[in-house]
Coordinates of all heavy atoms in Angstrom, one line a residue:
R1 N -89.3 41.8 67.2 CA -88.5 40.7 66.7 C -87.5 40.3 67.7 O -86.8 41.1 68.4 CB -87.8 41.4 65.5 CG -86.8 40.4 64.7 CD -86.4 41.0 63.5 NE -85.3 40.2 63.0 CZ -84.6 40.5 61.9 NH1 -84.7 41.8 61.4 NH2 -83.6 39.7 61.4
D2 N -87.2 38.9 67.8 CA -86.3 38.4 68.7 C -84.8 38.7 68.3 O -84.6 38.6 67.1 CB -86.5 36.8 68.8 CG -87.8 36.4 69.6 OD1 -88.3 37.3 70.3 OD2 -88.2 35.4 69.4
R3 N -84.2 39.0 69.2 CA -82.7 39.2 68.9 C -81.9 38.0 69.0 O -82.1 37.1 70.0 CB -82.2 40.2 69.9 CG -80.8 40.7 69.5 CD -80.4 41.8 70.6 NE -79.0 41.7 70.9 CZ -78.1 42.4 70.2 NH1 -78.5 43.4 69.5 NH2 -76.9 42.3 70.6
V4 N -81.1 37.5 68.0 CA -80.3 36.4 68.0 C -79.1 36.5 68.9 O -78.3 37.5 68.6 CB -79.9 35.9 66.6 CG1 -79.1 34.7 66.5 CG2 -81.2 35.8 65.7
K5 N -78.9 35.6 69.7 CA -77.7 35.7 70.6 C -76.4 35.3 69.7 O -76.6 34.3 68.9 CB -77.7 34.7 71.8 CG -78.8 35.2 72.8 CD -78.7 34.2 74.0 CE -79.7 34.7 75.1 NZ -79.7 33.9 76.2
P6 N -75.3 35.9 70.0 CA -74.1 35.6 69.2 C -73.6 34.1 69.6 O -73.8 33.6 70.7 CB -73.0 36.4 69.7 CG -73.8 37.6 70.5 CD -75.1 37.0 70.9
V7 N -73.3 33.4 68.6 CA -72.8 32.0 68.8 C -71.2 31.9 69.2 O -71.0 31.4 70.3 CB -72.9 31.3 67.4 CG1 -72.3 29.8 67.6 CG2 -74.3 31.1 67.0
F8 N -70.4 32.6 68.6 CA -69.0 32.6 68.9 C -68.6 33.8 69.7 O -67.9 34.7 69.4 CB -68.2 32.6 67.5 CG -68.4 31.4 66.7 CD1 -69.2 31.6 65.5 CD2 -67.9 30.2 67.1 CE1 -69.5 30.4 64.8 CE2 -68.2 29.1 66.3 CZ -68.9 29.2 65.2
D9 N -69.2 33.9 70.9 CA -69.1 35.0 71.9 C -69.1 34.5 73.3 O -69.8 33.4 73.5 CB -70.2 36.0 71.6 CG -70.0 37.3 72.4 OD1 -69.5 38.2 71.9 OD2 -70.6 37.3 73.5
D10 N -68.3 35.1 74.1 CA -68.2 34.7 75.5 C -69.5 34.8 76.2 O -69.7 34.2 77.3 CB -67.2 35.4 76.3 CG -65.8 34.9 75.8 OD1 -65.6 33.8 75.2 OD2 -64.8 35.6 76.3
S11 N -70.6 35.5 75.7 CA -71.9 35.5 76.3 C -72.6 34.2 76.1 O -73.6 33.9 76.8 CB -72.7 36.7 75.8 OG -73.0 36.4 74.4
N12 N -72.2 33.3 75.2 CA -72.7 32.0 74.9 C -72.0 31.0 75.8 O -70.8 30.6 75.7 CB -72.5 31.6 73.4 CG -73.1 30.3 73.2 OD1 -73.4 29.5 74.0 ND2 -73.1 30.0 71.8
S13 N -72.7 30.5 76.9 CA -72.2 29.6 77.9 C -71.6 28.3 77.1 O -70.6 27.7 77.6 CB -73.1 29.2 78.9 OG -74.1 28.5 78.4
H14 N -72.2 27.9 76.1 CA -71.8 26.6 75.4 C -70.4 26.8 74.7 O -69.6 26.1 74.7 CB -72.8 26.1 74.4 CG -74.1 25.8 75.1 ND1 -74.3 24.9 76.0 CD2 -75.3 26.4 74.9 CE1 -75.5 24.9 76.5 NE2 -76.2 25.9 75.8
Y15 N -70.3 28.1 74.1 CA -69.0 28.5 73.6 C -67.9 28.6 74.7 O -66.8 28.1 74.4 CB -69.2 29.9 72.8 CG -68.0 30.3 72.1 CD1 -67.4 29.6 71.1 CD2 -67.3 31.4 72.5 CE1 -66.3 30.0 70.5 CE2 -66.0 31.9 71.9 CZ -65.6 31.1 70.9 OH -64.4 31.5 70.2
L16 N -68.2 29.1 75.8 CA -67.3 29.0 76.8 C -66.9 27.7 77.3 O -65.7 27.4 77.5 CB -67.8 29.9 78.1 CG -67.8 31.5 78.0 CD1 -68.5 32.0 79.2 CD2 -66.4 31.9 77.8
D17 N -67.8 26.8 77.3 CA -67.5 25.4 77.6 C -66.6 24.8 76.6 O -65.7 24.0 76.9 CB -68.8 24.5 77.7 CG -69.6 24.8 78.9 OD1 -69.1 25.5 79.9 OD2 -70.9 24.5 78.9
Y18 N -66.9 25.1 75.3 CA -66.0 24.7 74.2 C -64.7 25.2 74.3 O -63.6 24.3 74.2 CB -66.7 25.1 72.9 CG -66.0 24.6 71.7 CD1 -65.6 23.3 71.5 CD2 -65.7 25.6 70.6 CE1 -65.0 23.0 70.3 CE2 -65.1 25.2 69.5 CZ -64.8 23.9 69.3 OH -64.1 23.4 68.1
K19 N -64.5 26.4 74.7 CA -63.1 27.1 74.8 C -62.4 26.4 76.0 O -61.2 26.2 75.9 CB -63.3 28.5 74.9 CG -63.6 29.3 73.7 CD -63.8 30.8 73.8 CE -62.9 31.5 74.7 NZ -63.1 33.0 74.7
T20 N -63.1 26.1 77.1 CA -62.5 25.5 78.2 C -62.1 24.1 77.9 O -60.9 23.7 78.3 CB -63.5 25.5 79.4 OG1 -63.9 26.9 79.7 CG2 -63.0 24.8 80.6
S21 N -62.9 23.4 77.2 CA -62.4 22.0 76.7 C -61.2 22.0 76.0 O -60.3 21.2 76.2 CB -63.6 21.3 76.0 OG -64.8 21.2 76.8
I22 N -61.1 23.0 75.1 CA -60.0 23.0 74.1 C -58.7 23.4 75.0 O -57.7 22.8 74.9 CB -60.1 24.2 73.1 CG1 -61.1 23.6 72.1 CG2 -58.8 24.5 72.4 CD1 -61.7 24.7 71.2
S23 N -58.8 24.4 75.9 CA -57.7 24.7 76.9 C -57.3 23.6 77.7 O -56.1 23.3 77.8 CB -58.3 25.9 77.8 OG -57.2 26.3 78.6
E24 N -58.3 22.8 78.2 CA -57.8 21.7 79.0 C -57.1 20.6 78.2 O -56.2 19.9 78.6 CB -59.1 21.0 79.7 CG -59.8 21.9 80.8 CD -61.0 21.4 81.3 OE1 -61.6 20.4 80.8 OE2 -61.6 22.1 82.2
A25 N -57.6 20.4 77.0 CA -57.0 19.4 76.0 C -55.6 19.9 75.7 O -54.6 19.0 75.7 CB -57.8 19.2 74.8
K26 N -55.3 21.1 75.5 CA -54.0 21.6 75.2 C -53.1 21.4 76.5 O -51.9 21.0 76.3 CB -54.1 23.1 74.8 CG -54.6 23.4 73.5 CD -54.6 24.9 73.2 CE -55.1 25.2 71.8 NZ -55.2 26.6 71.5
R27 N -53.6 21.8 77.7 CA -52.9 21.6 78.9 C -52.4 20.1 79.0 O -51.3 19.8 79.4 CB -53.6 22.1 79.9 CG -52.9 22.6 81.1 CD -53.7 23.3 82.2 NE -55.1 23.2 82.3 CZ -56.0 24.0 81.9 NH1 -55.6 25.2 81.4 NH2 -57.3 23.8 81.9
E28 N -53.4 19.2 78.8 CA -53.1 17.8 79.0 C -52.1 17.3 78.0 O -51.3 16.5 78.2 CB -54.5 17.0 78.9 CG -54.3 15.5 79.1 CD -55.6 14.8 79.2 OE1 -56.6 15.3 79.7 OE2 -55.6 13.6 78.9
L29 N -52.2 17.9 76.7 CA -51.3 17.4 75.6 C -49.9 17.8 76.0 O -48.9 17.0 75.9 CB -51.6 18.1 74.3 CG -50.6 17.8 73.2 CD1 -50.5 16.3 72.8 CD2 -51.0 18.6 72.0
R30 N -49.8 19.0 76.5 CA -48.4 19.6 76.9 C -47.9 18.7 78.0 O -46.6 18.2 78.1 CB -48.4 21.0 77.4 CG -48.5 22.0 76.4 CD -48.2 23.4 76.8 NE -49.4 23.8 77.7 CZ -50.5 24.5 77.4 NH1 -50.7 24.6 76.0 NH2 -51.3 24.9 78.3
K31 N -48.7 18.3 79.0 CA -48.2 17.4 80.1 C -47.9 16.0 79.6 O -46.8 15.4 79.9 CB -49.3 17.2 81.1 CG -48.9 16.4 82.3 CD -50.1 16.0 83.3 CE -49.9 15.1 84.2 NZ -49.4 13.8 83.8
D32 N -48.8 15.4 78.7 CA -48.5 14.1 78.2 C -47.3 14.1 77.3 O -46.4 13.1 77.3 CB -49.7 13.6 77.3 CG -50.9 13.3 78.2 OD1 -50.8 13.2 79.4 OD2 -52.0 13.1 77.6
L33 N -47.0 15.1 76.6 CA -45.8 15.2 75.8 C -44.5 15.2 76.6 O -43.4 14.7 76.4 CB -45.8 16.3 74.7 CG -46.8 16.2 73.7 CD1 -46.9 17.4 72.8 CD2 -46.5 15.0 72.7
A34 N -44.7 16.0 77.7 CA -43.5 16.2 78.6 C -43.2 14.9 79.4 O -42.0 14.6 79.6 CB -43.8 17.3 79.7
D35 N -44.2 14.1 79.6 CA -44.0 12.8 80.3 C -43.8 11.7 79.3 O -43.5 10.6 79.7 CB -45.3 12.4 81.1 CG -45.5 13.4 82.2 OD1 -44.7 14.1 82.6 OD2 -46.8 13.4 82.7
A36 N -43.9 11.9 78.0 CA -43.6 10.9 77.1 C -42.1 10.3 77.1 O -41.3 11.1 77.1 CB -44.0 11.3 75.6
D37 N -42.0 9.0 77.0 CA -40.7 8.3 77.1 C -40.3 8.1 75.7 O -39.1 7.9 75.4 CB -40.9 7.1 77.8 CG -41.1 7.3 79.3 OD1 -40.5 8.4 79.8 OD2 -41.8 6.5 79.9
D38 N -41.2 7.9 74.6 CA -40.8 7.6 73.3 C -41.7 8.0 72.2 O -42.7 8.7 72.7 CB -40.7 6.0 73.3 CG -41.8 5.2 73.7 OD1 -42.9 5.8 73.6 OD2 -41.8 4.1 73.9
E39 N -41.5 7.7 71.0 CA -42.4 8.2 70.0 C -43.9 7.6 70.0 O -44.8 8.3 69.8 CB -41.8 7.7 68.6 CG -42.5 8.2 67.3 CD -42.4 9.8 67.2 OE1 -41.5 10.4 67.9 OE2 -43.3 10.4 66.6
A40 N -44.0 6.4 70.5 CA -45.4 5.8 70.8 C -46.1 6.6 71.8 O -47.3 6.8 71.6 CB -45.2 4.3 71.2
D41 N -45.5 7.0 72.8 CA -46.1 7.9 73.8 C -46.5 9.2 73.1 O -47.7 9.7 73.5 CB -45.3 8.2 75.0 CG -45.0 6.9 75.9 OD1 -45.8 5.9 75.7 OD2 -44.1 6.9 76.7
R42 N -45.8 9.8 72.4 CA -46.1 11.0 71.7 C -47.2 10.9 70.7 O -48.2 11.7 70.6 CB -44.9 11.7 71.1 CG -43.8 12.2 72.0 CD -42.8 12.9 71.4 NE -41.7 12.0 70.8 CZ -40.9 11.4 71.5 NH1 -40.7 11.6 72.7 NH2 -40.0 10.6 70.9
I43 N -47.2 9.9 70.0 CA -48.2 9.5 69.1 C -49.7 9.4 69.9 O -50.6 9.9 69.4 CB -48.1 8.3 68.2 CG1 -46.9 8.6 67.2 CG2 -49.2 7.8 67.5 CD1 -46.3 7.4 66.5
D44 N -49.6 8.6 70.9 CA -50.8 8.4 71.7 C -51.3 9.7 72.3 O -52.5 10.0 72.3 CB -50.5 7.5 72.9 CG -50.3 6.0 72.6 OD1 -50.7 5.7 71.3 OD2 -49.8 5.2 73.2
A45 N -50.4 10.6 72.7 CA -50.7 11.9 73.3 C -51.5 12.7 72.3 O -52.5 13.3 72.5 CB -49.5 12.6 73.8
Y46 N -50.9 12.8 71.0 CA -51.6 13.5 69.9 C -53.0 13.0 69.6 O -53.9 13.6 69.2 CB -50.7 13.7 68.7 CG -49.7 14.8 68.8 CD1 -48.3 14.6 69.0 CD2 -50.2 16.2 68.8 CE1 -47.5 15.6 69.2 CE2 -49.3 17.2 69.0 CZ -47.9 16.9 69.2 OH -47.0 17.9 69.3
A47 N -53.1 11.6 69.5 CA -54.3 11.0 69.2 C -55.4 11.2 70.3 O -56.5 11.6 69.9 CB -54.1 9.4 69.1
E48 N -55.0 11.3 71.5 CA -55.9 11.6 72.6 C -56.3 13.1 72.4 O -57.5 13.4 72.5 CB -55.3 11.4 73.9 CG -56.2 11.7 75.1 CD -55.6 11.3 76.4 OE1 -54.6 10.7 76.5 OE2 -56.0 12.0 77.4
Y49 N -55.4 14.0 72.1 CA -55.8 15.3 72.0 C -56.7 15.6 70.9 O -57.6 16.3 71.0 CB -54.5 16.1 71.8 CG -54.5 17.6 71.2 CD1 -54.9 18.5 72.2 CD2 -54.3 18.0 70.0 CE1 -55.1 19.9 71.9 CE2 -54.5 19.3 69.7 CZ -54.8 20.3 70.7 OH -54.9 21.6 70.3
E50 N -56.5 15.0 69.7 CA -57.4 15.1 68.6 C -58.8 14.5 68.9 O -59.8 15.2 68.6 CB -56.8 14.3 67.3 CG -55.6 15.0 66.7 CD -55.9 16.4 66.1 OE1 -57.1 16.5 65.5 OE2 -55.1 17.3 66.1
A51 N -58.8 13.5 69.6 CA -60.1 12.9 70.0 C -60.9 13.8 70.9 O -62.1 14.1 70.9 CB -59.9 11.5 70.7
E52 N -60.2 14.4 71.9 CA -60.8 15.4 72.8 C -61.2 16.7 72.1 O -62.3 17.1 72.4 CB -59.8 15.8 73.9 CG -59.5 14.7 74.9 CD -58.5 15.0 75.9 OE1 -58.1 16.1 76.1 OE2 -58.1 14.0 76.6
L53 N -60.5 17.1 71.1 CA -60.9 18.3 70.3 C -62.3 17.9 69.5 O -63.1 18.6 69.5 CB -59.8 18.8 69.4 CG -58.6 19.4 69.9 CD1 -57.7 19.9 68.8 CD2 -59.0 20.6 70.9
A54 N -62.3 16.8 68.9 CA -63.4 16.3 68.1 C -64.6 16.2 69.0 O -65.7 16.6 68.6 CB -63.1 14.9 67.5
D55 N -64.3 15.6 70.2 CA -65.6 15.5 71.1 C -66.1 16.8 71.6 O -67.3 17.0 71.7 CB -65.1 14.7 72.3 CG -66.2 14.3 73.3 OD1 -67.3 13.8 72.8 OD2 -66.1 14.6 74.5
A56 N -65.1 17.8 71.8 CA -65.6 19.1 72.2 C -66.3 19.7 71.1 O -67.4 20.4 71.5 CB -64.3 20.0 72.6
E57 N -65.8 19.6 69.9 CA -66.6 20.3 68.8 C -67.9 19.6 68.6 O -68.9 20.4 68.3 CB -65.7 20.2 67.5 CG -66.4 20.8 66.3 CD -65.6 21.0 65.1 OE1 -64.3 20.6 65.1 OE2 -66.1 21.3 64.1
K58 N -68.0 18.4 68.7 CA -69.4 17.6 68.6 C -70.3 18.1 69.6 O -71.5 18.4 69.3 CB -69.1 16.1 68.7 CG -70.3 15.3 68.6 CD -70.0 13.9 68.8 CE -71.2 13.2 69.4 NZ -70.9 12.2 70.4
D59 N -69.8 18.3 70.8 CA -70.8 18.8 71.9 C -71.2 20.2 71.7 O -72.4 20.4 71.8 CB -70.1 18.7 73.2 CG -69.9 17.2 73.8 OD1 -70.4 16.3 73.2 OD2 -68.9 17.1 74.7
F60 N -70.3 21.0 71.2 CA -70.7 22.4 70.9 C -71.7 22.4 69.8 O -72.7 23.0 69.8 CB -69.4 23.2 70.5 CG -69.7 24.6 70.1 CD1 -70.2 25.5 71.0 CD2 -69.4 25.0 68.8 CE1 -70.4 26.8 70.6 CE2 -69.7 26.4 68.4 CZ -70.2 27.2 69.4
R61 N -71.5 21.7 68.7 CA -72.4 21.6 67.6 C -73.8 21.2 68.1 O -74.9 21.6 67.7 CB -71.9 20.8 66.4 CG -70.8 21.5 65.6 CD -70.3 20.5 64.6 NE -69.2 21.0 63.8 CZ -69.4 22.0 62.8 NH1 -70.6 22.3 62.5 NH2 -68.3 22.5 62.3
K62 N -73.8 20.1 68.9 CA -75.1 19.6 69.5 C -75.8 20.5 70.3 O -77.0 20.7 70.0 CB -74.8 18.3 70.3 CG -76.0 17.7 70.8 CD -75.6 16.5 71.8 CE -76.8 16.0 72.4 NZ -76.5 15.0 73.5
E63 N -75.1 21.3 71.1 CA -75.7 22.3 72.0 C -76.3 23.4 71.1 O -77.4 23.9 71.3 CB -74.7 22.9 72.9 CG -74.2 21.9 74.1 CD -75.4 21.5 74.9 OE1 -76.5 22.2 75.1 OE2 -75.2 20.4 75.7
M64 N -75.6 23.8 70.1 CA -76.1 24.9 69.2 C -77.3 24.4 68.4 O -78.3 25.2 68.3 CB -75.0 25.3 68.2 CG -73.9 26.1 68.9 SD -74.2 27.7 69.7 CE -74.7 27.1 71.4
A65 N -77.2 23.2 68.0 CA -78.4 22.6 67.2 C -79.7 22.6 68.2 O -80.8 22.9 67.7 CB -78.1 21.2 66.7
E66 N -79.5 22.2 69.5 CA -80.6 22.3 70.4 C -81.1 23.7 70.5 O -82.3 23.8 70.9 CB -80.1 21.6 71.7 CG -80.0 20.1 71.6 CD -79.3 19.5 72.9 OE1 -79.2 20.2 73.9 OE2 -79.1 18.3 72.9
R67 N -80.3 24.7 70.3 CA -80.8 26.1 70.4 C -81.3 26.5 69.0 O -81.8 27.6 69.0 CB -79.5 27.0 70.7 CG -79.3 27.2 72.2 CD -78.1 28.0 72.5 NE -78.2 29.3 71.8 CZ -77.3 30.3 72.0 NH1 -76.3 30.1 72.8 NH2 -77.4 31.4 71.3
G68 N -81.2 25.7 68.1 CA -81.8 26.0 66.8 C -80.8 26.7 65.9 O -81.1 27.2 64.9
V69 N -79.5 26.6 66.3 CA -78.5 27.3 65.5 C -77.6 26.1 64.8 O -77.1 25.3 65.4 CB -77.5 28.0 66.4 CG1 -76.4 28.6 65.5 CG2 -78.1 29.1 67.2
R70 N -77.7 26.1 63.5 CA -76.9 25.2 62.7 C -75.6 25.8 62.2 O -75.6 26.8 61.6 CB -77.8 24.8 61.4 CG -77.2 23.7 60.6 CD -77.9 23.5 59.3 NE -77.2 22.7 58.4 CZ -76.2 23.2 57.6 NH1 -76.0 24.4 57.5 NH2 -75.6 22.4 56.8
I71 N -74.6 25.0 62.6 CA -73.2 25.5 62.2 C -72.9 24.5 61.0 O -72.8 23.4 61.1 CB -72.2 25.2 63.3 CG1 -72.6 26.1 64.5 CG2 -70.8 25.6 62.9 CD1 -71.8 25.9 65.7
P72 N -72.7 25.2 59.8 CA -72.5 24.3 58.6 C -71.2 23.5 58.8 O -70.4 23.8 59.5 CB -72.3 25.4 57.6 CG -72.8 26.7 58.1 CD -72.7 26.6 59.6
A73 N -71.2 22.5 57.9 CA -70.0 21.6 57.9 C -68.8 22.4 57.7 O -68.7 23.3 56.9 CB -70.2 20.5 56.8
G74 N -67.8 22.0 58.5 CA -66.5 22.8 58.5 C -65.9 22.5 59.8 O -66.2 21.7 60.5
R75 N -64.9 23.4 60.1 CA -64.2 23.2 61.3 C -64.3 24.5 62.2 O -64.0 25.5 61.6 CB -62.7 22.8 61.1 CG -62.0 22.7 62.4 CD -61.1 21.4 62.3 NE -60.5 21.1 63.6 CZ -60.7 20.0 64.1 NH1 -61.6 19.1 63.6 NH2 -60.2 19.7 65.3
V76 N -64.6 24.4 63.4 CA -64.7 25.5 64.4 C -63.3 25.6 64.9 O -62.8 24.7 65.5 CB -65.8 25.4 65.4 CG1 -65.6 26.6 66.4 CG2 -67.1 25.3 64.8
S77 N -62.7 26.8 64.7 CA -61.3 27.1 65.3 C -61.4 28.2 66.4 O -62.0 29.2 66.1 CB -60.3 27.6 64.2 OG -60.3 26.6 63.2
V78 N -60.7 28.0 67.4 CA -60.8 28.9 68.5 C -59.3 29.3 68.7 O -58.5 28.5 69.1 CB -61.4 28.5 69.8 CG1 -61.3 29.4 70.9 CG2 -62.8 28.0 69.6
E79 N -58.9 30.6 68.5 CA -57.6 31.0 68.8 C -57.7 31.9 69.9 O -58.8 32.2 70.5 CB -57.0 31.8 67.5 CG -56.9 30.9 66.3 CD -56.1 29.8 66.4 OE1 -55.0 29.9 67.1 OE2 -56.2 28.7 65.8
T80 N -56.6 32.4 70.5 CA -56.5 33.3 71.6 C -57.5 34.4 71.6 O -58.3 34.6 72.4 CB -55.1 33.7 71.9 OG1 -54.2 32.6 72.0 CG2 -55.1 34.4 73.2
E81 N -57.5 35.1 70.4 CA -58.3 36.3 70.3 C -59.4 36.3 69.2 O -60.2 37.2 69.2 CB -57.3 37.5 70.0 CG -56.4 37.8 71.0 CD -56.9 38.3 72.3 OE1 -58.0 39.0 72.3 OE2 -56.4 37.9 73.4
V82 N -59.4 35.2 68.5 CA -60.3 35.1 67.3 C -60.8 33.7 67.2 O -60.3 32.8 67.5 CB -59.5 35.4 66.0 CG1 -60.4 35.3 64.7 CG2 -58.7 36.7 65.9
S83 N -62.2 33.9 66.9 CA -62.9 32.6 66.6 C -63.3 32.6 65.1 O -63.6 33.6 64.6 CB -64.2 32.4 67.4 OG -63.8 32.5 68.7
M84 N -63.3 31.5 64.5 CA -63.5 31.5 63.0 C -64.2 30.1 62.6 O -64.0 29.1 63.3 CB -62.2 31.7 62.2 CG -61.3 30.6 62.3 SD -59.8 31.0 61.3 CE -59.3 32.6 61.8
Y85 N -64.8 30.2 61.5 CA -65.4 29.0 60.9 C -64.8 28.8 59.6 O -64.7 29.8 58.8 CB -66.9 29.2 60.8 CG -67.6 28.3 59.8 CD1 -67.7 26.9 60.2 CD2 -67.8 28.6 58.6 CE1 -68.3 26.0 59.3 CE2 -68.5 27.7 57.7 CZ -68.6 26.4 58.0 OH -69.1 25.5 57.2
T86 N -64.3 27.6 59.3 CA -63.7 27.3 58.0 C -64.5 26.2 57.3 O -64.6 25.1 57.8 CB -62.3 26.8 58.2 OG1 -61.5 27.6 59.0 CG2 -61.5 26.5 56.9
P87 N -65.2 26.7 56.1 CA -65.9 25.7 55.4 C -65.0 24.5 54.9 O -63.9 24.7 54.6 CB -66.6 26.5 54.3 CG -66.2 27.8 54.5 CD -65.2 27.9 55.5
R88 N -65.8 23.3 54.7 CA -65.0 22.2 54.2 C -65.0 22.4 52.6 O -65.7 22.9 52.0 CB -65.8 20.9 54.5 CG -65.5 20.6 56.0 CD -66.1 19.2 56.3 NE -65.9 19.0 57.7 CZ -66.6 18.2 58.4 NH1 -67.6 17.6 57.8 NH2 -66.5 18.1 59.6

């Protein structure tokens, strides 16, 4: 019987890419907020951050689908020590 590789584990290169994308988005958000001159700049920074997170999640789901792993509708959350799936 084939052994299924873990999805939310650092042994999954696509998951590592996803975590890296999130880390980069957070870093960019912090920089953009520090450089913001007004409320409009802060709104733009958060909008860009949300778009980057959505893109990273979409890419991760696509890669998992190509591996034959379906992640049900919901939101994938990556915290420092814990990964979780929250159903919609």
Side-chain angles (χ1 to χ4, degrees):
R1 182 174 168 186
D2 288 339
R3 192 177 142 95
V4 177
K5 290 184 178 179
V7 174
F8 300 105
D9 185 89
D10 287 350
S11 66
N12 177 353
S13 65
H14 303 299
Y15 180 66
L16 282 175
D17 290 345
Y18 181 50
K19 286 176 35 175
T20 299
S21 295
I22 291 170
S23 179
E24 290 173 358
K26 286 179 181 179
R27 211 172 12 259
E28 188 171 328
L29 174 62
R30 282 191 296 273
K31 180 190 174 302
D32 289 348
L33 290 175
D35 293 344
D37 293 325
D38 56 23
E39 187 66 20
D41 289 344
R42 287 186 285 282
I43 290 170
D44 288 344
Y46 277 108
E48 182 178 340
Y49 173 72
E50 288 294 324
E52 289 177 14
L53 291 182
D55 187 49
E57 183 172 350
K58 179 181 149 221
D59 290 346
F60 177 65
R61 286 178 181 277
K62 179 182 172 194
E63 293 294 342
M64 292 297 89
E66 288 174 5
R67 274 180 51 179
V69 176
R70 183 181 166 277
I71 299 174
R75 183 135 188 121
V76 175
S77 300
V78 177
E79 299 298 327
T80 306
E81 298 295 325
V82 178
S83 301
M84 64 178 58
Y85 163 75
T86 307
R88 287 188 185 155

